[in-house]
Amino acid sequence: MSSAGLSPHHAGLLFLQGSWELMSEESDSLRTSPSAASLSESELPPPPARTGYVCSLTEDLVAKAREELQEKPEWRLRDVQALRDMVRKECPNLSTSLEDAFLLRFLRARKFDYDRALQLLINYHSCRRSWPEVFNNLRPSALKEVLASGFLTVLPHTDPRGCHILCLRPDRWIPSNYPITENIRAIYLTLEKLIQSEETQVNGIVILADYKGVSLSKASHFGPFIAKKVIGILQFFLHGSDLNSLHSNLPRNILPKEYGGMAGELDITAWNAALLASEEDFVREFCQPGPPCDSILGQALPPEGLSPEAPCDDSMRAVKSQLYSCY
């Protein structure tokens, strides 16, 4: 049963399938650099110091990426270079990584449409800088209370399509303990960790939200948030208490016992440990001081649904407009 919201009669399990947005018409244009044929060897500039990209996808995933994401392995690095050239030309003040693997995330998310990938990259950084209550000091050790509550975890087994399953349990959130933005921070943290994997970039993410036992007032905090696209979520199914309906999407052998599965008790410790082990990566990425947003983004467009003058103190408004833009 598909739904765009929640009602008192529909408290139960919410299953969301992660996939990427529909592609705009693919551009096959080549961006060339000045020929070095006329330069002597001593006059050639040194090669840029970049970490060389090595594809970690299996042959099956390479084929899937070609079919579903319009990714051509033989053109992959050419496409990355095209996006890199666009960033340098159109957004010279954008403080962003230009590493192959990082830029490839945005190309895959927009099915190798250069313009849309660039806009997503701009939105990603604009979102991070215009929503400080979420992104400042974004690291696992700052969210130990949320992680310990069991509000979210990633199940140890992927679904039959290879999608990781992010399990959300809003009933574990006690509003008097911490604000909802802490939950949003934990979700972002988890998504950032998952999306580092090329396998996740190709397969996507499934979100399983358990609303059982959640009051309508608490559910109203999450309804608009869950209904928005997170990493291009295009559809979701509200199962209520019908586990058979859930099992038609997620087989029992990968689900914990709490959801009628055969994979043992739901265990949050493994994923919490994986996040905490990534502390240094998040400190390097999210905890370094940077220049003001205006000096970085210049004339770049703001995230979809957010005007440049819009205040960012309304957390729920920010949730509704920025989650989609950032991913």
Side-chain angles (χ1 to χ4, degrees), residues 135-147:
F135 287 99
N136 283 356
N137 195 35
L138 184 61
R139 51 180 170 176
S141 63
L143 294 167
K144 285 184 177 180
E145 186 173 8
V146 182
L147 298 178

Side-chain angles (χ1 to χ4, degrees), residues 245-265:
S245 176
L246 174 66
H247 298 156
S248 67
N249 290 286
L250 297 177
R252 294 180 62 200
N253 65 314
I254 67 171
L255 288 172
K257 186 172 69 174
E258 287 84 345
Y259 303 118
M262 301 181 293
E265 302 280 349

Side-chain angles (χ1 to χ4, degrees), residues 180-220:
I180 190 174
T181 49
E182 293 300 282
N183 292 325
I184 306 305
R185 281 160 55 80
I187 293 172
Y188 265 116
L189 197 77
T190 295
L191 293 176
E192 283 284 345
K193 177 65 176 177
L194 288 174
I195 206 65
Q196 291 175 2
S197 164
E198 289 195 283
E199 179 182 353
T200 302
Q201 294 167 28
V202 174
N203 286 329
I205 297 172
V206 163
I207 297 183
L208 174 63
D210 184 357
Y211 279 89
K212 184 173 59 180
V214 177
S215 66
L216 181 60
S217 61
K218 188 185 291 189
S220 67

Side-chain angles (χ1 to χ4, degrees), residues 116-128:
R116 295 179 67 227
L118 176 62
Q119 186 59 61
L120 181 63
L121 178 64
I122 292 169
N123 288 349
Y124 174 83
H125 286 289
S126 180
C127 177
R128 284 175 52 170

Side-chain angles (χ1 to χ4, degrees), residues 19 31 48 80 92 101 113-114 119 150 158 203 228 236 246 250 254 259 278 281 293:
S19 58
R31 295 179 175 267
V80 169
D113 182 310
Y114 298 166
Q119 186 59 61
T158 60
N203 286 329
K228 283 292 175 179
F236 62 89
L246 174 66
L250 297 177
I254 67 171
Y259 303 118
S278 302
D281 293 336
C293 180

